[in-house]
Amino acid sequence: MTQAPATPRRTGRRHDREIIALALPAFGSLVAEPLFVMVDSAVIGHLGTPQLAGLGVAAALLTTAVSVFVFLAYATTAAVARRVGAGDLPAAIRQGMDGIWLALLLGAAVIAAVLPTAPWLVEVFGASGTAAPYATTYLRISALGIPAMLVVLAATGVLRGLQDTRTPLYVAVGGFSTNAALNIGLVYGAGLGIAGSAWGTVLAQCGMALAYLVVVVRGARRHGATLRPDAAGIRASAQAGVPLLVRTLSLRAVLMIATAVAARLGDAEIAAHQIVLTLWSLLAFALDAIAIAGQAIIGRYLGAGDRDGARAACRRMVEWGIAAGLVLGVLVALARPLFIPLFTSDPAVQGPLLSTLLVVAVTQPVSGIVFILDGVLMGAGDGPYLAWAMVVTLALFTPVALAVPLVGGGLVALWWAMALMMTVRMLTLWLRTRSGRWIVTGASR
């Protein structure tokens, strides 16, 4: 009996099942990560304002230090997925181990840099005299967990490349629960104060890294892959990550410039901006989950040499991105009057917040396309183009954003500049995907 030929509808349904199976667990693990800082804030907040202020400074430094190395997850996902598509699981796991070894090396370098400079970093970030000692204590202790945090990033990339986003979800939930229990026990039970919170986070992160390593090591033994560090492989992982590092730093620069401009507009505007940025980041988690699915799926198709499958998956995921953006945009627009009072009761903040969130709502479909195409090109290993495109976007965004206070524009004008930034990103990514130059097949790019 011959099998019925695949129709566009059947192909679309198959892609839908793959996207849902990968994106839903990925969304859960993405949301679980910020809860670490939320738990620390809730526990330390009861110790006093100086302790909470110290946590705020230290957490910002730690988040920045770790987020610049997010390429460990992105580059590893793409590389591993290609080898999965090529049918070479031992090579896929070896590639993943190279990323994990790179994470350990980078983590050791960050510890060596942070420990002696912690007081200076805290001072540069503007901690007050009462908050600085707490910030320094938290930063120095938490820095010991940075290698584990980076291993978690790299190992997450390994499992995503292996088309497994459920295990990262389980590990993230377990890590969050452990972190909460350790924080309460060490801060209040053992009376360690802010140091207890830092140690709780370090132990939870080490536990997550250990859980990932157990999974990866079992896979390596099952498929006969070596666990020993390979200098050439580690060097190749680092080279693949450099363009993504440039992309990430450029994106961080956009956000920092936007915050600096908002601060010039006034206290009410910077307060509203922080709320808008928090909600914008939360919406990004939903879209990024689909992008993560795109990284894994596109990498697998290209590794298998299936150009048509990669194109079809790309089209379907763009449709998902537009649909998700439309739904999120409508929700934000309609729910604005309901959730704004949850963040602030100050009319001076609520006014600009109400108008600015409408800009965010209108631009969500654009954001959906940007996140999806970003994930597609990451999955294809097209890092150099992503770096170039983000640098161009930063160069165009900067003068527009800096001009906002000069021309008397308010927060709404600043977020229209953010909308321009996302539109430029969409155009650069769309031009690349339309050209087809990202479609490079084989076990490696």
Side-chain angles (χ1 to χ4, degrees):
M1 182 176 180
T2 58
Q3 188 175 3
T7 64
R9 178 175 294 182
R10 288 180 180 174
T11 301
R13 288 175 179 171
R14 186 180 75 248
H15 289 317
D16 290 344
R17 288 193 297 270
E18 286 184 325
I19 293 167
I20 292 171
L22 291 171
L24 285 180
F27 176 72
S29 60
L30 287 171
V31 171
E33 286 300 318
L35 294 178
F36 271 79
V37 176
M38 290 180 62
V39 167
D40 289 2
S41 300
V43 172
I44 293 176
H46 292 286
L47 296 177
T49 300
Q51 289 90 334
L52 185 58
L55 170 67
V57 172
L61 286 164
L62 285 167
T63 300
T64 300
V66 174
S67 64
V68 297
F69 296 116
V70 72
F71 69 83
L72 289 167
Y74 293 157
T76 305
T77 297
V80 172
R82 275 184 175 270
R83 284 160 176 76
V84 169
D88 192 348
L89 285 177
I93 295 174
R94 284 198 302 273
Q95 181 76 44
M97 284 304 305
D98 292 335
I100 290 173
W101 282 111
L102 176 62
L104 288 170
L105 292 174
L106 291 174
V110 173
I111 288 179
V114 169
L115 288 182
T117 61
W120 176 78
L121 290 170
V122 167
E123 182 181 354
V124 168
F125 263 61
S128 66
T130 55
Y134 297 110
T136 302
T137 296
Y138 190 93
L139 180 59
R140 277 182 165 158
I141 295 173
S142 295
L144 300 176
I146 287 178
M149 296 179 196
L150 299 188
V151 167
V152 167
L153 284 177
T156 300
V158 175
L159 295 180
R160 287 174 182 170
L162 294 171
Q163 319 295 297
D164 175 11
T165 56
R166 289 182 179 273
T167 300
L169 172 61
Y170 299 148
V171 174
V173 171
F176 164 72
S177 303
T178 303
N179 181 58
L182 287 171
N183 264 262
I184 294 172
L186 294 175
V187 171
Y188 299 120
L192 297 179
I194 195 169
S197 177
W199 280 116
T201 300
V202 169
L203 293 173
Q205 291 286 354
C206 288
M208 291 173 65
L210 181 60
Y212 274 120
L213 290 175
V214 168
V215 174
V216 174
V217 168
R218 284 178 179 173
R221 289 176 175 171
R222 187 182 311 120
H223 297 287
T226 181
L227 299 173
R228 292 192 300 272
D230 176 64
I234 295 172
R235 189 162 51 249
S237 294
Q239 290 171 347
V242 168
L244 295 181
L245 176 61
V246 172
R247 167 203 167 274
T248 300
L249 290 174
S250 299
L251 181 56
R252 295 287 299 185
V254 165
L255 300 179
M256 290 175 64
I257 290 169
T259 300
V261 171
R264 293 184 182 182
L265 299 177
D267 291 345
E269 283 75 10
I270 184 61
H273 174 76
Q274 286 304 114
I275 295 172
V276 174
L277 193 60
T278 299
L279 292 170
W280 187 74
S281 300
L282 181 61
L283 296 171
F285 283 136
L287 300 174
D288 202 28
I290 306 174
I292 287 170
Q295 294 173 32
I297 293 170
I298 293 297
R300 192 188 73 231
Y301 274 117
L302 293 179
D306 189 349
R307 291 172 170 266
D308 293 338
R311 288 194 184 93
C314 176
R315 285 194 298 270
R316 193 61 174 179
M317 281 181 286
V318 169
E319 293 170 0
W320 269 78
I322 295 172
L326 286 170
V327 171
L328 292 173
V330 170
L331 288 175
V332 170
L334 295 179
R336 286 176 302 149
L338 299 177
F339 63 72
I340 285 178
L342 299 176
F343 290 94
T344 178
S345 59
D346 187 348
V349 178
Q350 288 183 347
L353 192 56
L354 190 68
S355 302
T356 305
L357 283 174
L358 187 58
V359 178
V360 173
V362 169
T363 56
Q364 280 307 292
V366 173
S367 297
I369 297 173
V370 168
F371 276 88
I372 299 309
L373 294 183
D374 208 38
V376 166
L377 296 184
M378 283 185 189
D382 204 10
Y385 182 85
L386 289 172
W388 173 86
M390 197 62 231
V391 169
V392 169
T393 301
L394 172 62
L396 293 174
F397 168 78
T398 301
V400 175
L402 294 178
V404 168
L406 298 178
V407 299
L411 190 64
V412 173
L414 174 60
W415 274 87
W416 276 120
M418 290 286 286
L420 172 65
M421 179 270 296
M422 294 300 289
T423 303
V424 172
R425 289 187 69 191
M426 181 184 70
L427 291 175
T428 57
L429 298 174
W430 175 76
L431 288 172
R432 184 63 168 183
T433 52
R434 187 181 181 188
S435 72
R437 294 177 182 174
W438 57 279
I439 303 178
V440 179
T441 59
S444 60
R445 185 178 174 89

